[in-house]
Amino acid sequence: NKCAAKAGICYLITITEKLAAVPVVEEFTGTWCGYCPNGIVGMQKARETYGDQVVLIAAHASDAMECADYYPILASVTGFPSARMNREKDFYPSASTMLNAIKSSLDRDVQGTIELSAMWTDEERKAVRFDTKTKFVYGEDDGRYGIAYVLVEDGMTGSGNGWAQSNYLSGGTGDPDMDFWYKAGSVVPGLAFDHVAVAAWDIDCGVSGSVQSEIVAGAVQEYTYIGDISGNSLIQDKSKLKAIALLIDGISGAIVNAAQTTIQDYSTGVDASTSAPHAVAYYTIDGRQVDAMQKGLNIVKMSDGTSRKILGK
């Protein structure tokens, strides 16, 4: 795995606390793909069944919705349609398989959680501020984790080359969930596509430094990232965007956990791009959280996600 910081090392992590898991489904699709309507329906059923309990990302290839930011992941895709669960397991994205995979993933043990809030940094909506909080149930100093950031858009539509969906299911029978596609023609124009990845940052391994290498069990790390979309010509309607943060294990390449949210309007009371880092939490050297700086060596967590060792007098 090209994210791996250290090759040939095995890790045994003992989970002492049951954390909520948010599954991540990355569906690989394209309007040229005649069997990809299976994935479209699978993603629809996943949203209807699980709502915000699951993160859904449709990564298009070789059509009008292709996002170059997703190339590092698309390069490893061997077939369309296909889907990947937490970057650990590939599967065919039919509705039944999709729902079973999500159900199983909701019950998995995870070693960390991530929270996300997002806000436009300006009235013209040229950039998004992602604010994340991560917490782990164990401590280490290996620098193995990173956070990747994604924007997905619902309701994308268009006409002409790359927008009409090829449909090899036309004239078929058997699955009630696929009735629309059975009755439709071999090419279906005028569709609205959901969950479409339209921008991403460090999608394969996560942003360097977004999770500090020194992890203190139970301690919250905060990090802020500004995602610039001023030159993005793929996005159609910024009001239909959703922000996603993926907590990635840089050793295995797996997605540990995830969070998603809508993007809040720009607030003139906050300069989202230049706010100075400040102390948000204090810990003793053995990882115990305290209310204020203590005498001796302290670990101070800053609002920009960094950690500082400060000697209290």
Side-chain angles (χ1 to χ4, degrees):
N1 183 285
K2 72 176 184 178
C3 297
K6 298 179 180 179
I9 296 177
C10 296
Y11 288 83
L12 176 62
I13 298 174
T14 301
I15 304 299
T16 59
E17 176 186 357
K18 182 69 173 179
L19 302 176
V22 178
V24 177
V25 176
E26 293 170 298
E27 182 221 6
F28 307 115
T29 185
T31 56
W32 51 269
C33 167
Y35 290 110
C36 283
N38 284 294
I40 293 174
V41 173
M43 295 284 270
Q44 289 172 341
K45 291 295 181 181
R47 172 181 274 181
E48 292 170 4
T49 305
Y50 291 104
D52 286 341
Q53 289 180 279
V54 60
V55 168
L56 303 173
I57 302 172
H60 284 247
S62 301
D63 66 14
M65 290 165 281
E66 181 179 76
C67 177
D69 297 334
Y70 237 88
Y71 285 169
I73 305 303
L74 287 168
S76 65
V77 177
T78 58
F80 291 77
S82 61
R84 191 166 291 169
M85 177 62 72
N86 305 319
R87 301 213 182 136
E88 293 180 313
K89 179 182 179 181
D90 286 12
F91 61 94
Y92 194 79
S94 63
S96 59
T97 305
M98 179 85 69
L99 296 181
N100 287 335
I102 293 171
K103 182 179 179 180
S104 177
S105 184
L106 281 167
D107 294 331
R108 78 190 193 280
D109 290 323
V110 293
Q111 62 265 39
T113 60
I114 183 166
E115 299 177 13
L116 171 67
S117 62
M119 187 180 73
W120 295 107
T121 65
D122 57 279
E123 293 180 350
E124 290 77 26
R125 299 184 175 186
K126 295 180 179 179
V128 179
R129 169 175 170 156
F130 298 84
D131 290 298
T132 51
K133 295 180 180 180
T134 54
K135 184 177 73 170
F136 295 84
V137 294
Y138 75 106
E140 69 165 37
D141 191 14
D142 238 353
R144 67 186 292 185
Y145 297 104
I147 304 171
Y149 302 93
V150 187
L151 295 178
V152 297
E153 183 173 346
D154 281 345
M156 295 191 71
T157 188
S159 59
N161 188 38
W163 285 103
Q165 178 66 53
S166 180
N167 177 29
Y168 294 166
L169 306 178
S170 180
T173 60
D175 185 348
D177 290 333
M178 305 305 297
D179 274 349
F180 170 84
W181 297 98
Y182 294 152
K183 296 174 182 177
S186 60
V187 177
V188 184
L191 297 175
F193 296 88
D194 293 335
H195 325 292
V196 180
V198 291
W201 294 269
D202 291 87
I203 190 58
D204 49 353
C205 305
V207 173
S208 177
S210 53
V211 178
Q212 294 300 299
S213 59
E214 184 179 12
I215 294 175
V216 178
V220 175
Q221 288 194 27
E222 297 189 6
Y223 187 79
T224 295
Y225 185 80
I226 305 298
D228 183 3
I229 59 169
S230 58
N232 188 306
S233 59
L234 180 58
I235 296 171
Q236 293 183 341
D237 187 343
K238 293 177 181 177
S239 69
K240 295 181 179 180
L241 293 175
K242 181 177 288 186
I244 294 170
L246 307 176
L247 179 59
I248 298 175
D249 182 333
I251 300 296
S252 68
I255 297 173
V256 175
N257 223 327
Q260 60 188 343
T261 187
T262 56
I263 306 172
Q264 301 300 308
D265 290 337
Y266 168 66
S267 171
T268 56
V270 178
D271 186 347
S273 61
T274 60
S275 56
H278 56 276
V280 295
Y282 302 92
Y283 298 87
T284 61
I285 195 65
D286 62 355
R288 180 171 52 86
Q289 186 169 4
V290 292
D291 294 330
M293 187 86 72
Q294 305 293 299
K295 186 176 180 179
L297 191 61
N298 296 258
I299 298 173
V300 182
K301 299 294 182 180
M302 307 302 290
S303 60
D304 63 353
T306 61
S307 300
R308 302 178 185 179
K309 291 181 180 179
I310 299 177
L311 186 63
K313 298 181 180 180

